């Protein structure tokens, strides 16, 4: 029988078949499976309760293309940024954001990004390729280990808000989440996972059709199509009306929480008229929260952060319209780990 070259594509039953086919005991399958998904082995040589000959046989028959830690940076505010290296020598980044009760991992779904949002450092990078589901899983495993080391606690939440557009790597993102939430690995509740999208309407609807149980965040960042077209190219094919319809469809199918993300750009999208239009969008979608985000400056990009007075007035207006709104303060700016800054620096 032919087996996938990537050993992490094999289920437990397939592993049992493999070990029987090479004349070994089928209980080796469970030992190997636990190394892959419980103990998070990233090399066959780490599977120390298997004989040396068997480890060498596995290495000859399969690939275990894991990512490795390339750099760890610590922010003055406690945020930790990790740079990872893939088996084919690409770089990507993930972040741990600690608070008193939560330890959130911000993970990447692509190497680079193809969307070119004009205010984002990652958007200036070329998209090299999608990350495989096991590379996404490895990020979580390594960030979890680092969280335990740095804070004495494993991860409590995961947000897909790192490099790349998750819904343009749909299959592998969902497969990674399936692994992360499985009881034979991390067993994390899907309600503690949020996937953020710049807005791919047809894929938002597909999430609804697939009945996902994780939360969804839309990076809106402008409250009308004219402004959104200017700062987010994706709006030309996924306008606010189409996204509104897609989000309503998603919620009707899943009842999962929806968040709107809105980065305040000085003189661009931070007026009271913008706030009024945003409140109107909020009423058309079953949105749980609007997160108003402080902009983090990026070298070579002219946008600047909205001043405190404008930010307070913007949020006050939304609150007065009975909008559930929160200000998301920047974390990790001193190590280029804040929202929109990930660019392998």
């Amino acid at each position: 029988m032919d087996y996938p070259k990537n050993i992490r594509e094999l289920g437990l039953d397939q592993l049992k078949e493999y070990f029987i086919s090479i004349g070994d005991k089928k209980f080796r399958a469970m030992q190997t499976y636990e190394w892959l998904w419980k103990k998070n082995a990233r090399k066959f040589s780490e599977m120390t309760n298997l004989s040396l000959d068997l480890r060498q046989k596995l290495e000859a028959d399969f690939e275990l293309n894991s990512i490795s830690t390339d750099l760890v940076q610590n922010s003055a505010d406690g945020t930790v940024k990790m740079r990872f290296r893939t088996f084919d020598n690409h770089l990507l980044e993930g972040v741990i954001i600690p608070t008193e009760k939560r330890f959130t991992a911000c993970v990447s779904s692509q190497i680079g990004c193809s969307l070119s949002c004009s205010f984002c450092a990652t958007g200036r990078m070329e998209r090299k390729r999608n990350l495989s589901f096991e590379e996404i899983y490895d990020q979580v495993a390594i960030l979890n280990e680092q969280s335990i080391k740095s804070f004495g606690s494993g991860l409590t939440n995961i947000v897909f808000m790192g490099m790349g557009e998750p819904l343009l790597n749909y299959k592998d993102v969902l497969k990674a989440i399936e692994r992360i939430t499985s009881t034979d690995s991390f067993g994390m509740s899907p309600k503690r996972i949020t996937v953020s999208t710049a807005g791919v309407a047809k894929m938002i609807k597909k999430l609804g059709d697939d009945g996902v149980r994780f939360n969804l965040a839309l990076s809106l960042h402008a409250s009308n199509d004219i402004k959104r077209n200017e700062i987010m190219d994706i709006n030309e094919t996924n306008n606010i009306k189409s996204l509104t319809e897609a989000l309503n469809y998603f919620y009707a199918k899943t009842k999962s929480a929806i968040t709107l993300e809105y980065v305040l750009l000085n003189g661009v999208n931070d007026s009271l008229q913008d706030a009024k239009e945003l409140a109107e969008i909020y009423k058309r979608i079953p949105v749980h929260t609007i997160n108003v985000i402080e902009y983090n400056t990026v070298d070579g990009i002219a946008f600047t952060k909205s001043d405190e007075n404008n930010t307070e007035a913007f949020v006050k207006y939304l609150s007065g319209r009975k909008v559930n709104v929160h200000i998301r303060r920047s974390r990790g700016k001193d190590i280029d780990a804040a929202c929109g800054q990930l660019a392998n620096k």
Side-chain angles (χ1 to χ4, degrees):
M1 180 177 177
D2 290 331
Y3 296 95
K5 190 66 176 171
N6 176 5
I7 193 170
R8 289 195 279 190
E9 290 184 0
L10 273 66
L12 183 56
D13 288 341
Q14 287 177 298
L15 278 173
K16 289 177 181 177
E17 291 173 4
Y18 166 76
F19 281 107
I20 291 169
S21 74
I22 63 172
D24 212 319
K25 303 289 193 299
K26 68 179 182 181
F27 74 83
R28 298 293 184 200
M30 179 56 77
Q31 290 178 313
T32 304
Y33 198 77
E34 287 182 347
W35 277 111
L36 293 173
W37 301 117
K38 280 282 192 184
K39 301 176 183 177
N40 300 311
R42 288 181 275 278
K43 296 178 182 177
F44 290 110
S45 60
E46 295 174 3
M47 301 179 181
T48 50
N49 61 351
L50 305 182
S51 69
L52 178 60
D53 286 347
L54 183 52
R55 282 178 271 164
Q56 290 174 340
K57 172 65 173 169
L58 289 171
E59 193 154 10
D61 288 350
F62 297 106
E63 294 174 345
L64 183 50
N65 292 331
S66 56
I67 65 172
S68 59
T69 301
D70 187 69
L71 180 67
V72 180
Q73 294 174 278
N74 294 281
S75 168
D77 65 21
T79 301
V80 178
K81 183 170 76 169
M82 302 189 74
R83 187 170 71 195
F84 305 111
R85 189 175 295 273
T86 65
F87 73 95
D88 55 351
N89 216 32
H90 291 299
L91 297 174
L92 62 137
E93 292 179 329
V95 178
I96 306 169
I97 307 161
T99 63
E100 187 176 339
K101 295 182 179 179
R102 290 188 176 190
F103 300 90
T104 301
C106 177
V107 300
S108 297
S109 57
Q110 297 178 310
I111 298 167
C113 187
S114 60
L115 296 187
S116 303
C117 297
S118 58
F119 51 86
C120 178
T122 312
R124 304 176 76 189
M125 301 171 67
E126 179 186 357
R127 188 193 71 84
K128 299 293 186 181
R129 65 171 174 83
N130 287 339
L131 291 171
S132 65
F133 82 91
E134 63 268 25
E135 288 172 327
I136 297 170
Y137 180 90
D138 283 344
Q139 282 180 82
V140 174
I142 296 172
L143 289 165
N144 186 65
E145 291 165 6
Q146 185 66 42
S147 183
I148 293 170
K149 179 180 177 182
S150 297
F151 309 111
S153 173
L155 300 173
T156 62
N157 298 77
I158 298 169
V159 293
F160 282 77
M161 296 182 181
M163 303 166 80
E165 166 52 58
L167 298 192
L168 295 182
N169 188 14
Y170 190 94
K171 178 182 175 182
D172 282 283
V173 166
L174 263 62
K175 194 169 183 181
I177 293 173
E178 180 186 347
R179 281 278 88 223
I180 293 163
T181 57
S182 174
T183 54
D184 59 26
S185 59
F186 285 103
M188 181 175 283
S189 167
K191 296 303 180 186
R192 292 184 173 272
I193 298 174
T194 299
V195 172
S196 177
T197 177
V200 188
K202 69 177 182 179
M203 303 311 291
I204 292 172
K205 288 183 175 180
K206 182 166 173 54
L207 289 174
D209 289 335
D210 288 341
V212 302
R213 294 182 295 138
F214 52 76
N215 305 314
L216 185 65
L218 172 67
S219 295
L220 186 64
H221 305 322
S223 54
N224 63 63
D225 285 322
I226 294 173
K227 290 187 177 183
R228 201 165 190 264
N229 284 343
E230 291 174 354
I231 62 174
M232 300 180 74
D233 289 348
I234 193 172
N235 197 69
E236 293 180 6
T237 51
N238 294 267
N239 63 22
I240 292 173
K241 182 176 184 294
S242 69
L243 294 173
T244 299
E245 292 171 353
L247 290 172
N248 276 289
Y249 184 89
F250 168 84
Y251 185 80
K253 292 280 189 177
T254 68
K255 296 298 186 288
S256 293
I258 297 171
T259 302
L260 295 183
E261 307 283 336
Y262 194 97
V263 63
L264 281 182
L265 303 170
N266 187 43
V268 176
N269 64 355
D270 61 347
S271 70
L272 290 184
Q273 178 61 30
D274 292 308
K276 179 182 177 183
E277 292 172 355
L278 181 56
E280 290 169 356
I281 293 172
Y282 176 86
K283 291 179 179 178
R284 297 200 299 269
I285 308 169
V287 173
H288 179 262
T289 307
I290 294 179
N291 284 330
V292 170
I293 303 169
E294 291 182 316
Y295 180 64
N296 304 295
T297 55
V298 176
D299 290 343
I301 295 179
F303 293 109
T304 57
K305 172 185 172 182
S306 185
D307 67 44
E308 277 301 317
N309 289 337
N310 274 6
T311 300
E312 288 180 15
F314 193 92
V315 170
K316 184 178 180 181
Y317 180 90
L318 291 174
S319 296
R321 294 287 298 274
K322 295 184 169 37
V323 173
N324 184 24
V325 58
H326 296 284
I327 299 177
R328 206 168 82 198
R329 300 294 182 184
S330 295
R331 299 287 302 274
K333 286 191 291 187
D334 56 328
I335 56 170
D336 294 312
C339 181
Q341 289 188 320
L342 297 186
N344 292 330
K345 290 178 68 177

